[in-house]
Amino acid sequence: MPVDRPSELMVTQEVPCISRCLEEARSLDEFSTSYKEVLNTSNMKKPEVSGVMAKADINPKSIHHAKKWSDDVENLYRFQQAGYRDEVEYKQVKQVDMVECWPETGFVKKLQRRDNTFYYYDKQRECEDKEVPKVKVYVY
């Protein structure tokens, strides 16, 4: 083979490489197919969910509006003002075990909204009488 014609030399060297690449691609395709068969998520062992999270996944069965103010209605008002249904949904979304409350009254002290801003609440009642009928009470 003459040395002054490197293009022919390159062509003859590239052809075996192409066929080798095609063979490798076929073997990779076979591997990926078997990999997909092996990675069947229905056969995988699912992690056990803690009691708090299992409780948090429960959806309410019914809903009604509050008629009269109470401590529970006050706390529901605070959760709903922050954009949550109630304490159950707050714990599920924020993945916390405890909600910060005032020790004197038991009312919610601080909540973090979904956009990560905080709502801070007073020790005293904040839900006025005219707001009570707007509070939704969920039954589980």
Side-chain angles (χ1 to χ4, degrees):
M1 204 180 263
V3 179
D4 59 334
R5 299 172 103 188
S7 61
E8 286 180 23
L9 182 63
M10 289 180 78
V11 170
T12 57
Q13 287 178 345
E14 286 180 4
V15 172
C17 178
I18 290 173
S19 64
R20 190 173 352 120
C21 290
L22 289 174
E23 288 174 17
E24 288 176 8
R26 280 190 215 112
S27 68
L28 285 174
D29 187 41
E30 290 172 7
F31 175 73
S32 65
T33 303
S34 62
Y35 175 72
K36 289 175 187 173
E37 291 171 3
V38 170
L39 187 64
N40 185 354
T41 56
S42 64
N43 294 335
M44 291 183 156
K45 183 180 177 185
K46 294 180 174 77
E48 293 190 23
V49 180
S50 69
V52 173
M53 289 308 293
K55 184 180 176 185
D57 289 338
I58 298 172
N59 290 326
K61 293 180 181 174
S62 66
I63 179 176
H64 65 275
H65 290 270
K67 307 261 189 275
K68 185 179 171 186
W69 184 90
S70 69
D71 291 351
D72 292 334
V73 170
E74 178 67 32
N75 280 333
L76 284 171
Y77 172 77
R78 294 175 186 216
F79 281 110
Q80 290 170 17
Q81 210 178 26
Y84 299 97
R85 192 173 51 219
D86 52 17
E87 185 176 359
V88 172
E89 185 183 34
Y90 181 78
K91 287 180 176 180
Q92 179 185 5
V93 171
K94 290 300 174 183
Q95 297 180 350
V96 296
D97 292 330
M98 295 292 294
V99 178
E100 200 170 328
C101 295
W102 290 104
E104 299 87 356
T105 59
F107 296 149
V108 174
K109 183 177 185 178
K110 176 178 76 171
L111 293 173
Q112 188 176 10
R113 292 184 351 176
R114 293 175 196 260
D115 63 358
N116 294 327
T117 57
F118 286 89
Y119 274 5
Y120 295 92
Y121 299 100
D122 292 332
K123 294 178 190 176
Q124 297 87 10
R125 174 181 173 176
E126 291 193 9
C127 180
E128 297 177 16
D129 286 334
K130 67 179 182 178
E131 300 292 324
V132 170
K134 297 177 186 175
V135 175
K136 297 174 184 174
V137 180
Y138 294 90
V139 179
Y140 291 92

